[in-house]
Amino acid sequence: MKFLCIGRNYVEHVKELGNEVPEEPVVFIKPKSALLQPNTPFYYPEFTNELHYECELLLRICKNGKYIQERSAKNYYDAITVGIDFTARDIQSELKKKGLPWEKAKAWDNSAIVGAWQPIGAGWDKKNVAFSMKKNGELVQQGNSRDMIHGFDAIVAHLSNYFSLNIGDVIFTGTPKGVGECVVGDELEGFLADKSMFKLMIQ
Ligand code: MG
């Protein structure tokens, strides 16, 4: 199992970090060890002084595939939720300056928070999936799949040109604007529409 992650997929978020809007998806991977197991405490990592949350829509892969066409991509995922792509922003900024890979900023143990999976029904509107996150009860991020630069099916097709997709893999589809810092004691709660998908306390 692996996490396939898309970066810079919402114009307003690209701008807030001073990046350029990419022509093709920005991709990185987190290993299986990045998953915070359910009912496990999340501890602020000792190697960063600038821990950022990035709340994102997540897709769950339900069928093995490679070189998937965009028109058939919908057959390869069966559930959606929200999660957090935790990022050590100070480390990422240093790596970006030097043109180095992002793993130390993005792929560390417990950096992937996965909410409760919701099965995707026949009638769902993939272009109108609303989600949000609250920090200490206050709304900090709000997004909708309609604002993604690369939609779900385009992402699945693109990723599968480089990586075999396997049952159980999870795709992080990018974060909307509003990313920010969190500290010990903060409580983060993610919502799909208005339904709570995860609640996490930073310890
Ligand atoms: Mg992200």
Side-chain angles (χ1 to χ4, degrees), residues 29-192:
I29 281 190
K30 293 180 191 252
K32 188 181 175 184
S33 49
L35 174 69
L36 181 74
Q37 298 293 335
N39 306 313
T40 308
F42 177 87
Y43 294 106
Y44 194 106
E46 72 286 356
F47 48 77
T48 180
N49 292 307
E50 195 184 11
L51 178 67
H52 270 205
Y53 54 78
E54 294 188 0
C55 181
E56 314 195 0
L57 287 172
L58 274 49
L59 296 178
R60 186 178 67 191
I61 296 297
C62 63
K63 187 175 168 182
N64 296 335
K66 176 94 179 146
Y67 301 121
I68 299 164
Q69 298 293 310
E70 193 172 329
R71 65 176 181 278
S72 56
K74 62 177 187 302
N75 301 320
Y76 288 80
Y77 54 89
D78 67 347
I80 189 165
T81 189
V82 293
I84 302 176
D85 164 24
F86 270 121
T87 304
R89 194 70 73 200
D90 47 355
I91 295 177
Q92 191 195 29
S93 301
E94 283 305 305
L95 295 171
K96 276 164 71 177
K97 253 187 257 168
K98 296 176 187 161
L100 293 171
W102 289 1
E103 277 83 349
K104 283 181 168 178
K106 288 277 197 185
W108 35 274
D109 286 2
N110 304 330
S111 62
I113 310 304
V114 177
W117 288 111
Q118 307 299 308
I120 288 173
W124 82 305
D125 182 359
K126 70 180 75 172
K127 291 213 163 67
N128 185 20
V129 183
F131 66 107
S132 61
M133 196 179 74
K134 289 179 178 174
K135 183 173 94 168
N136 304 325
E138 226 173 273
L139 187 67
V140 286
Q141 281 196 285
Q142 200 167 21
N144 191 300
S145 61
R146 75 167 85 94
D147 298 320
M148 300 195 323
I149 298 168
H150 304 285
F152 298 134
D153 295 343
I155 289 171
V156 168
H158 182 79
L159 288 170
S160 76
N161 291 334
Y162 299 85
F163 311 101
S164 297
L165 302 188
N166 297 117
I167 295 171
D169 287 350
V170 173
I171 300 178
F172 275 80
T173 61
T175 194
K177 72 169 179 193
V179 301
E181 230 178 316
C182 40
V183 296
V184 173
D186 281 344
E187 187 187 73
L188 304 174
E189 186 171 16
F191 298 84
L192 191 60

